[in-house]
Structure formats: structure tokens, C-alpha cells
């Protein structure tokens, strides 16, 4: 099984890198785990709607270039469907049971995801209505993927 995160921008803080590295190491017994970073589009602080759309489109093209046809794609979106950890684990288990061995999660840039990426996604997932820094979201997502595998294994980790 392959789990890939396609993310916009680089991780800067050492503590996020360390946390993600720890969960990536733990995930290695369940799957091949990979993070693919695409560059964020440089933009001034205040953008017009047209400029925002242009930035999101460029980031979207970079994201889509890293996704293969066979991959099942989760787009992280504030308007996506919220799930419990148990429901998420069941979904991952069901996907793998029915032949989806390549699962990709997409975290967009600071402006969000382009509509082309949302259209390509098989599903949208939300971690609530809070706005979280993208670097923190990477850590939270990685931990939740690990938690899903632990739930599916029947491990006490989840409790």
C-alpha cells in the first residue's frame, strides 16, 4: 500500500519535521509513506480575486502533476466531509480491500485548492472549521493516518 501527501510549500519548523518523521517511521510497518512538496506560488499580501485564482491555478497544476490516474485522492478542504477517526479508519480499510492501494492526500496553499484539484479528488475531507497552519495540518494528517492503521489493527493506541 502507498500513502502519499502532496502538499504546497516546505516545512520550516524543526518540531513539525520531527513529529512528522516520527509518524512516518511508525507508518513504515503498514505502508510506503511519502510526502511530495510542490512550490507555493509567490504572491503579494493583498491580491485581487483574479490574482488569487491565478495563484491557486498555478499551485493546482503543480499538485495535479504529482497525482497518477490510479490514485484515490482525498482533498483537504474546509467544506469537505468531517469524519471520526473510526470512520476514517474504516474508509481506509475499505479502500484497500477494494483495490485502492495508492491513496493520496492533498493539502493546498494558503489560499486553498484550485477547483481543478477538487474536481480530481475522489473525496474531500475536513478536520473541522478551524483554520490551521499548513505545517501543523501536515502533522495532524500524518498522525490521523497512523491512528487509522492502529484502529484497524485493534491496537490500544487509539484509546
Amino acid at each position: 500500500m502507498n500513502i502519499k501527501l502532496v502538499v504546497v510549500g516546505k516545512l520550516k519548523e524543526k518540531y513539525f519535521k520531527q513529529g512528522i518523521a516520527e509518524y512516518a517511521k511508525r507508518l513504515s510497518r503498514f505502508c510506503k509513506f511519502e510526502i511530495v512538496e510542490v512550490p507555493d506560488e509567490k504572491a503579494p499580501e493583498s491580491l485581487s480575486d483574479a490574482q488569487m485564482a491565478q495563484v491557486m491555478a498555478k499551485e493546482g497544476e503543480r499538485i495535479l502533476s504529482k497525482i497518477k490516474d490510479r490514485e484515490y485522492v482525498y482533498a483537504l478542504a474546509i467544506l469537505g466531509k468531517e469524519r471520526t477517526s473510526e470512520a476514517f479508519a474504516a474508509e481506509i480499510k475499505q479502500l484497500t480491500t477494494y483495490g485502492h492501494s495508492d491513496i493520496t492526500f492533498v493539502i493546498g496553499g494558503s489560499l486553498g485548492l484550485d477547483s481543478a484539484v477538487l474536481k480530481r479528488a475522489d473525496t474531500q475531507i475536513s478536520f473541522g472549521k478551524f483554520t490551521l497552519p499548513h505545517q501543523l495540518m501536515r502533522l495532524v494528517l500524518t498522525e490521523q493516518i497512523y491512528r487509522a492503521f492502529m484502529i484497524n489493527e485493534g491496537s490500544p493506541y487509539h484509546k
Side-chain angles (χ1 to χ4, degrees):
M1 155 164 248
N2 299 304
I3 302 270
K4 178 169 67 178
L5 272 56
V6 178
V7 299
V8 174
K10 291 208 171 299
L11 265 187
K12 295 171 184 77
E13 281 83 0
K14 187 177 175 184
Y15 53 91
F16 285 133
K17 288 180 182 176
Q18 289 171 329
I20 291 167
E22 176 60 30
Y23 286 113
K25 185 174 83 179
R26 293 180 187 189
L27 276 165
S28 68
R29 56 184 264 237
F30 300 109
C31 64
K32 179 179 177 271
F33 180 77
E34 169 188 23
I35 297 177
V36 177
E37 294 178 335
V38 300
D40 53 350
E41 187 63 21
K42 301 296 174 236
E45 281 297 311
S46 56
L47 296 172
S48 68
D49 288 348
Q51 289 170 314
M52 281 198 275
Q54 193 173 26
V55 166
M56 289 186 346
K58 285 182 181 172
E59 290 175 349
E61 287 169 19
R62 292 177 189 144
I63 290 166
L64 291 171
S65 74
K66 304 297 180 188
I67 299 172
K68 295 178 180 70
D69 287 344
R70 71 176 185 277
E71 294 172 11
Y72 188 91
V73 177
Y74 281 87
L76 274 71
I78 204 152
L79 297 176
K81 180 182 171 201
E82 290 183 47
R83 295 152 170 87
T84 64
S85 294
E86 295 85 356
F88 180 59
E91 207 170 298
I92 297 292
K93 187 177 197 170
Q94 186 173 14
L95 285 170
T96 56
T97 301
Y98 292 99
H100 292 284
S101 59
D102 297 302
I103 301 174
T104 298
F105 294 86
V106 178
I107 302 175
S110 59
L111 299 175
L113 288 169
D114 186 57
S115 60
V117 176
L118 295 173
K119 281 189 191 103
R120 168 58 185 91
D122 294 285
T123 189
Q124 293 180 28
I125 187 169
S126 173
F127 284 79
K129 300 209 183 312
F130 284 111
T131 299
L132 297 173
H134 292 249
Q135 297 186 51
L136 177 58
M137 196 62 240
R138 263 196 237 189
L139 177 59
V140 170
L141 175 60
T142 305
E143 189 279 336
Q144 284 296 305
I145 293 167
Y146 174 70
R147 182 177 295 271
F149 279 105
M150 295 306 284
I151 289 169
N152 288 338
E153 187 181 73
S155 164
Y157 171 83
H158 175 58
K159 301 294 177 220

